[in-house]
Amino acid sequence: MKSTLLLFILFFGLTVANAQSAYDEPAEVPHKYYELSLKFIKETPGFTPPVASRTLGYIGLCLYESVVHGLQDYKSLEGRLPDLQGLPQPENAPYNWSIVANNAMAFVMDSLFDNKSLDNKILLYAARTDFNIALQAQVSTDVYERSVAYGEAIGQAIFEYSKTESGYRGQYKNFPASYVPPSGIEHWVALPNQVALQPYWAENRAFMPENVELGTLPPPPPSFSTDELSVFYAYSNQVYQTGLNLTQSQKDIASFWADAGGTFTPPGHSLSIMRQLLRNEAWDLGNSAVAYAKLGLALSDAFLACWKSKYIHNLCRPVTYIRSHIDANWSPYIATPPFPEYPSGHSSQSGAWGVVMTDIFGDDYAF
């Protein structure tokens, strides 16, 4: 999966120079909207990790397309991503790319988080208004109006694009009652009061189809076995023994990275780290937009590939195996989520994050 995700790094190819440059503008607009997106993921019902990853993918795409015509070294992804056609085009006239991005991101986030709270809707509209007022004072009336209109058009176009695949409104269909997991002691079974999370997520459209092809997906897990000399038993026993002897430091680390319900989820956690670094480094609007887009698309496809693999293998969770074959009274420190064990969602998205971050900041960057 990691090698294929590297294609995202090469995908944002060169284009002709544009006289009006997004490299000359600060990145406070996207930083603010990503701050709001993390809050919305945390507080909006149904934004599970797969749903959050997809949402961040479309937000990143929207940001990128809103400023790409102000980037000297990049070109639109229209015609390069599946089904992405007919995007609005800018006029041969000046634009303020911060204004464009402001109105594009406000539109797409308002649409993607359509079940957000009234308070968060007010925050979103306030951010859009505050940026528009501040930026309007810096440009002529025609530049302002042209930039607002183009931003809204891009935001609407990307949202319409998001509606053309099955992940649309995924927050409303996390737990389909129609799914029946396969039977067998090696397979995942729901714990009490659980229903499988997003078992049909593999039907979604990938931003890069290569990322979810069978030859790209992780290899199968070790062969299931209850033999105490088997690899599978050894791995399960390692989890069991570790869980019995957790140090406080291990518990703190587990809690910090758990990113369970009521948090901004693993993809939100990864996005949050990038956001902090882009702000600390004072990156401009253009370079920040490229970075956010690369990470958003990669995280979305990483989760899609992971979830496809999970429901191919349908592997039982450690809590099920350990209680059945090692210790009937054992419980994990972190509650077991409602989906198959393998592969790990945290690890899949972290692998994608690592590749993108290395491309952006280099392989000797410390923070």
Side-chain angles (χ1 to χ4, degrees), residues 65 68-69 76 78 85-91 149-158:
E65 291 296 336
V68 68
H69 294 287
S76 170
E78 180 178 358
Q85 300 289 344
L87 293 181
Q89 299 298 310
E91 300 176 25
Y150 182 58
E152 291 177 347
I154 287 290
Q156 182 171 8
I158 296 303

CSV table of all heavy atoms in Angstrom, one decimal, residues 65 68-69 76 78 85-91 149-158:
chain,number,residue,atom,x,y,z
A,65,GLU,N,-8.1,22.4,-5.5
A,65,GLU,CA,-8.7,22.9,-6.7
A,65,GLU,C,-9.0,24.4,-6.7
A,65,GLU,O,-9.1,25.1,-7.7
A,65,GLU,CB,-9.9,22.1,-7.1
A,65,GLU,CG,-9.6,20.7,-7.5
A,65,GLU,CD,-8.7,20.6,-8.8
A,65,GLU,OE1,-8.8,21.5,-9.6
A,65,GLU,OE2,-8.0,19.6,-9.0
A,68,VAL,N,-5.3,26.0,-7.3
A,68,VAL,CA,-4.3,25.4,-8.2
A,68,VAL,C,-4.0,26.3,-9.3
A,68,VAL,O,-2.9,26.3,-9.8
A,68,VAL,CB,-4.8,24.0,-8.7
A,68,VAL,CG1,-6.0,24.2,-9.6
A,68,VAL,CG2,-3.7,23.3,-9.4
A,69,HIS,N,-5.0,27.2,-9.8
A,69,HIS,CA,-4.7,28.1,-10.9
A,69,HIS,C,-3.8,29.3,-10.5
A,69,HIS,O,-3.4,30.1,-11.3
A,69,HIS,CB,-6.0,28.5,-11.6
A,69,HIS,CG,-6.7,27.4,-12.2
A,69,HIS,ND1,-6.3,26.8,-13.4
A,69,HIS,CD2,-7.8,26.7,-11.8
A,69,HIS,CE1,-7.1,25.8,-13.7
A,69,HIS,NE2,-8.0,25.7,-12.8
A,76,SER,N,-4.5,21.2,-12.2
A,76,SER,CA,-5.7,20.6,-11.7
A,76,SER,C,-5.7,19.1,-11.8
A,76,SER,O,-5.1,18.5,-12.7
A,76,SER,CB,-6.9,21.2,-12.4
A,76,SER,OG,-8.1,20.5,-12.1
A,78,GLU,N,-8.5,17.5,-12.4
A,78,GLU,CA,-9.6,17.2,-13.3
A,78,GLU,C,-9.1,16.3,-14.4
A,78,GLU,O,-8.1,16.6,-15.1
A,78,GLU,CB,-10.2,18.5,-13.9
A,78,GLU,CG,-11.3,18.2,-14.8
A,78,GLU,CD,-12.0,19.5,-15.4
A,78,GLU,OE1,-11.5,20.6,-15.0
A,78,GLU,OE2,-12.9,19.4,-16.2
A,85,GLN,N,-14.7,15.7,-13.6
A,85,GLN,CA,-14.8,16.4,-14.9
A,85,GLN,C,-15.6,17.7,-14.7
A,85,GLN,O,-16.4,17.8,-13.8
A,85,GLN,CB,-15.4,15.5,-16.0
A,85,GLN,CG,-14.7,14.2,-16.3
A,85,GLN,CD,-13.4,14.4,-17.0
A,85,GLN,OE1,-13.1,15.5,-17.6
A,85,GLN,NE2,-12.5,13.4,-17.0
A,86,GLY,N,-15.4,18.6,-15.6
A,86,GLY,CA,-16.3,19.8,-15.7
A,86,GLY,C,-16.1,20.8,-14.6
A,86,GLY,O,-17.1,21.4,-14.2
A,87,LEU,N,-15.0,20.9,-14.0
A,87,LEU,CA,-14.8,21.9,-12.9
A,87,LEU,C,-14.9,23.3,-13.4
A,87,LEU,O,-14.4,23.5,-14.6
A,87,LEU,CB,-13.4,21.6,-12.2
A,87,LEU,CG,-13.3,20.3,-11.4
A,87,LEU,CD1,-11.9,20.3,-10.7
A,87,LEU,CD2,-14.4,20.2,-10.3
A,88,PRO,N,-15.4,24.2,-12.7
A,88,PRO,CA,-15.4,25.6,-13.1
A,88,PRO,C,-13.9,26.1,-13.3
A,88,PRO,O,-13.0,25.7,-12.7
A,88,PRO,CB,-16.0,26.3,-11.9
A,88,PRO,CG,-16.7,25.3,-11.1
A,88,PRO,CD,-16.0,24.0,-11.3
A,89,GLN,N,-13.8,27.0,-14.3
A,89,GLN,CA,-12.5,27.5,-14.7
A,89,GLN,C,-12.4,29.0,-14.4
A,89,GLN,O,-13.4,29.7,-14.5
A,89,GLN,CB,-12.2,27.3,-16.1
A,89,GLN,CG,-12.2,25.8,-16.6
A,89,GLN,CD,-11.1,25.1,-15.9
A,89,GLN,OE1,-9.9,25.5,-15.8
A,89,GLN,NE2,-11.4,23.9,-15.2
A,90,PRO,N,-11.3,29.5,-13.9
A,90,PRO,CA,-11.2,30.9,-13.6
A,90,PRO,C,-11.1,31.7,-14.9
A,90,PRO,O,-10.8,31.3,-16.0
A,90,PRO,CB,-9.9,31.0,-12.8
A,90,PRO,CG,-9.1,29.9,-13.4
A,90,PRO,CD,-10.0,28.8,-13.6
A,91,GLU,N,-11.6,33.0,-14.8
A,91,GLU,CA,-11.4,33.9,-15.9
A,91,GLU,C,-10.0,34.3,-16.0
A,91,GLU,O,-9.1,34.1,-15.1
A,91,GLU,CB,-12.3,35.1,-15.6
A,91,GLU,CG,-13.8,34.9,-15.5
A,91,GLU,CD,-14.6,36.1,-15.1
A,91,GLU,OE1,-14.1,37.2,-15.4
A,91,GLU,OE2,-15.6,36.0,-14.5
A,149,ALA,N,-17.2,34.3,-6.0
A,149,ALA,CA,-18.1,33.5,-6.9
A,149,ALA,C,-17.3,32.3,-7.4
A,149,ALA,O,-17.9,31.2,-7.4
A,149,ALA,CB,-18.5,34.3,-8.2
A,150,TYR,N,-16.1,32.4,-7.7
A,150,TYR,CA,-15.3,31.2,-8.1
A,150,TYR,C,-15.1,30.2,-7.0
A,150,TYR,O,-15.2,29.0,-7.2
A,150,TYR,CB,-13.9,31.7,-8.7
A,150,TYR,CG,-13.1,30.5,-9.2
A,150,TYR,CD1,-13.6,29.7,-10.2
A,150,TYR,CD2,-11.8,30.3,-8.7
A,150,TYR,CE1,-12.8,28.7,-10.7
A,150,TYR,CE2,-11.0,29.3,-9.2
A,150,TYR,CZ,-11.5,28.4,-10.2
A,150,TYR,OH,-10.8,27.4,-10.7
A,151,GLY,N,-14.9,30.7,-5.8
A,151,GLY,CA,-14.7,29.8,-4.6
A,151,GLY,C,-16.0,29.0,-4.4
A,151,GLY,O,-15.9,27.8,-4.2
A,152,GLU,N,-17.1,29.7,-4.4
A,152,GLU,CA,-18.4,29.0,-4.2
A,152,GLU,C,-18.6,28.0,-5.3
A,152,GLU,O,-19.1,26.9,-5.0
A,152,GLU,CB,-19.5,30.0,-4.2
A,152,GLU,CG,-19.5,30.9,-2.9
A,152,GLU,CD,-20.6,31.9,-2.9
A,152,GLU,OE1,-21.2,32.2,-4.0
A,152,GLU,OE2,-20.9,32.6,-1.9
A,153,ALA,N,-18.3,28.3,-6.5
A,153,ALA,CA,-18.5,27.4,-7.6
A,153,ALA,C,-17.6,26.1,-7.5
A,153,ALA,O,-18.0,25.0,-7.7
A,153,ALA,CB,-18.2,28.1,-9.0
A,154,ILE,N,-16.3,26.3,-7.0
A,154,ILE,CA,-15.5,25.2,-6.8
A,154,ILE,C,-16.0,24.3,-5.7
A,154,ILE,O,-16.0,23.1,-5.7
A,154,ILE,CB,-14.0,25.6,-6.5
A,154,ILE,CG1,-13.4,26.1,-7.8
A,154,ILE,CG2,-13.2,24.5,-5.9
A,154,ILE,CD1,-13.0,25.1,-8.8
A,155,GLY,N,-16.4,25.0,-4.6
A,155,GLY,CA,-16.9,24.2,-3.4
A,155,GLY,C,-18.1,23.4,-3.8
A,155,GLY,O,-18.2,22.2,-3.5
A,156,GLN,N,-19.0,24.0,-4.6
A,156,GLN,CA,-20.2,23.2,-5.0
A,156,GLN,C,-19.8,22.1,-6.0
A,156,GLN,O,-20.4,21.0,-5.9
A,156,GLN,CB,-21.2,24.2,-5.7
A,156,GLN,CG,-22.5,23.5,-6.1
A,156,GLN,CD,-23.6,24.4,-6.6
A,156,GLN,OE1,-23.3,25.6,-6.8
A,156,GLN,NE2,-24.8,23.9,-6.8
A,157,ALA,N,-18.9,22.3,-6.9
A,157,ALA,CA,-18.5,21.3,-7.8
A,157,ALA,C,-17.8,20.1,-7.1
A,157,ALA,O,-18.1,18.9,-7.5
A,157,ALA,CB,-17.5,21.9,-8.8
A,158,ILE,N,-17.0,20.4,-6.1
A,158,ILE,CA,-16.4,19.2,-5.4
A,158,ILE,C,-17.4,18.5,-4.6
A,158,ILE,O,-17.4,17.3,-4.5
A,158,ILE,CB,-15.2,19.8,-4.5
A,158,ILE,CG1,-14.1,20.4,-5.4
A,158,ILE,CG2,-14.6,18.6,-3.7
A,158,ILE,CD1,-13.5,19.4,-6.5
